[in-house]
Amino acid sequence: MRTVSVAAGLALAAILSAGSGHAAEFRLTSPDLKADGTIADRFVFNSFGCTGGNVSPALAWSGAPAGTKSFTVTAYDPDAPSGSGWWHWVVADIPAGVTALPQGAGAPSGTGLPVGAVQGRTDYGSSAYGGPCPPQGDKPHHYIFTVHALSVDHLPVDPQASAAMVGFALHGTEIGRASLTALYGR
């Protein structure tokens, strides 16, 4: 009969339990958006031929990776006919203790955001949430809401930074991400 040392047994148990799904999965959810569902008019842009409420949806996340020091939230449409997609929302420097943004947090005033959080400039040209508004007749576009877990407390960006600049700044500091995709067409 072979014997296994206590240390080897503990090491084997650790390896087996690591793959058993006991670790929390980094997830993004929303009471306002359903995965692959249609985005309600309340969250649609109110210009360019669209007549929505232009209110940012509530978002909540859980299971952030160990070592997370801040979060960045983005909303992006890869289907926009711009050659580079369309950035609808970007919020940087969300403190690590925050796990949700309430509905309407993306207002231009930023009063619904946690202290210290900064909204970057979207492709609409403002530092606020800008809802979906795809061209009339296009197939429904995919709107990808993502929370990025970062290894730094603060990104070196200001409120006039473009979403692309925020993406560049978070590139080397991202330690995890969770996304939720919803659709909208007209």
Side-chain angles (χ1 to χ4, degrees):
M1 174 187 275
R2 294 180 61 183
T3 60
V4 178
S5 74
V6 172
L10 290 174
L12 180 59
I15 290 168
L16 293 174
S17 68
S20 67
H22 291 292
E25 177 185 354
F26 192 27
R27 296 189 50 192
L28 176 62
T29 60
S30 173
D32 299 327
L33 304 172
K34 290 190 181 359
D36 299 319
T38 300
I39 296 173
D41 288 343
R42 177 166 179 73
F43 310 108
V44 171
F45 199 59
N46 191 29
S47 189
F48 297 159
C50 291
T51 56
N54 202 42
V55 173
S56 61
L59 300 173
W61 51 92
S62 61
T68 299
K69 293 185 178 176
S70 70
F71 297 101
T72 294
V73 168
T74 59
Y76 176 71
D77 171 7
D79 303 316
S82 66
S84 60
W86 193 269
W87 291 99
H88 288 266
W89 196 23
V90 59
V91 183
D93 298 342
I94 300 169
V98 174
T99 58
L101 293 177
Q103 187 180 103
S109 66
T111 56
L113 295 173
V115 173
V118 177
Q119 294 189 103
R121 191 169 33 84
T122 69
D123 286 339
Y124 287 118
S126 65
S127 295
Y129 172 81
C133 186
Q136 184 76 34
D138 269 14
K139 64 180 174 133
H141 287 204
H142 297 80
Y143 295 88
I144 305 168
F145 291 81
T146 304
V147 60
H148 308 263
L150 308 180
S151 63
V152 296
D153 295 321
H154 173 74
L155 287 178
V157 297
D158 63 38
Q160 291 307 309
S162 69
M165 179 60 78
V166 171
F168 179 80
L170 71 80
H171 177 72
T173 65
E174 183 180 84
I175 57 175
R177 76 170 61 176
S179 295
L180 172 65
T181 301
L183 305 169
Y184 185 77
R186 59 188 189 105

